[in-house]
Amino acid sequence: MWDPAKYLDYADLRGRPFYDLVGRVSAASPRRVVDLGCGPGTLTLDLARRWPEATLEALDSSPEMVGAARERGIAAEVGDVRTWTPKPDTDVVVSNAVLQWVPGHEKLLRRWAGELPAGAVLAVQVPGNFAAPSHAISRQLAAAPKWASRLSSVTLRDEDAVGEPRDYADLLADAGCLVDAWETTYVQQLSGPRAVLEWITGTALRPIRAALSDSDWTEFQDDLAPLLDEAYPPRADGTTWFEFRRIFFVARIPG
């Protein structure tokens, strides 16, 4: 289950990749703008403000997130990006931090590139930090004897969950698109106790939280927190540096 409130912790920092992505979309007056994986809708509202004349389509797999988006006035729908198909007037598609949850999403990208109309833009951002200590340590703890049986149904994203910028550039160029691909590592300054744990609780640890009872989840956090504090030692001022690598690509359908 997605927790919209937890996801919105550090909202300003989490939103930076979205704005860097959308800032590279040069669409003057799109007919339909689609937000695939709209979450609680806070960033979707910015799409509506940028293109107020466009029809706005918003989709998320989480009923909780869709409910939060609807409370913000967005006509979001519960849906699966794997079965989503663009309507004929779709001119901009934004997918922000979603496709890392979809194994084999390269096939989806090829399909969308073939289904979108000429001139449409596909803008995607995914995390590129699955090899980072925060994620590696979480996977190691989940696989430890103490937790393996309780988390046997959980699959955490590994280093192969996403490709490199060049991989996506090649894929979409081969599909006939004009591609702009890049990566950015944000050095985020987090504050408060257990800062890195709090950060990844809203995203990477979601499958673990969903699989555990409240008491087990508290125990897992207590086991994980000191490991993360060792890998990401707090500074004397109480803040913690956290490297946050993201992968971006914007593809335009020729025509």
Side-chain angles (χ1 to χ4, degrees), residues 100-101 126-136 139 156-162 204 245:
Q100 72 275 12
W101 298 106
V126 290
N129 58 342
F130 293 104
S134 56
H135 291 62
R139 290 193 298 266
L156 296 180
R157 303 277 73 82
D158 60 21
E159 295 137 0
D160 297 327
V162 300
R245 178 176 180 255

Side-chain angles (χ1 to χ4, degrees), residues 163-173 179 181-183 247-248:
E164 295 295 320
R166 173 65 180 270
D167 298 327
Y168 295 113
D170 279 340
L171 183 156
L172 289 163
V179 188
W182 71 100
E183 66 177 78
I247 294 166
F248 304 79

Side-chain angles (χ1 to χ4, degrees), residues 104-186:
H105 58 260
E106 295 84 359
K107 183 178 179 181
L108 270 186
L109 293 170
R110 291 189 192 94
R111 176 167 69 79
W112 293 343
E115 293 173 342
L116 286 166
V121 177
L122 171 63
V124 177
Q125 182 265 124
V126 290
N129 58 342
F130 293 104
S134 56
H135 291 62
I137 290 169
S138 300
R139 290 193 298 266
Q140 291 163 7
L141 180 60
K146 177 179 178 178
W147 292 104
S149 61
R150 282 180 275 186
L151 294 172
S152 59
S153 64
V154 173
T155 301
L156 296 180
R157 303 277 73 82
D158 60 21
E159 295 137 0
D160 297 327
V162 300
E164 295 295 320
R166 173 65 180 270
D167 298 327
Y168 295 113
D170 279 340
L171 183 156
L172 289 163
D174 289 345
C177 300
L178 305 173
V179 188
D180 179 14
W182 71 100
E183 66 177 78
T184 300
T185 297
Y186 303 91

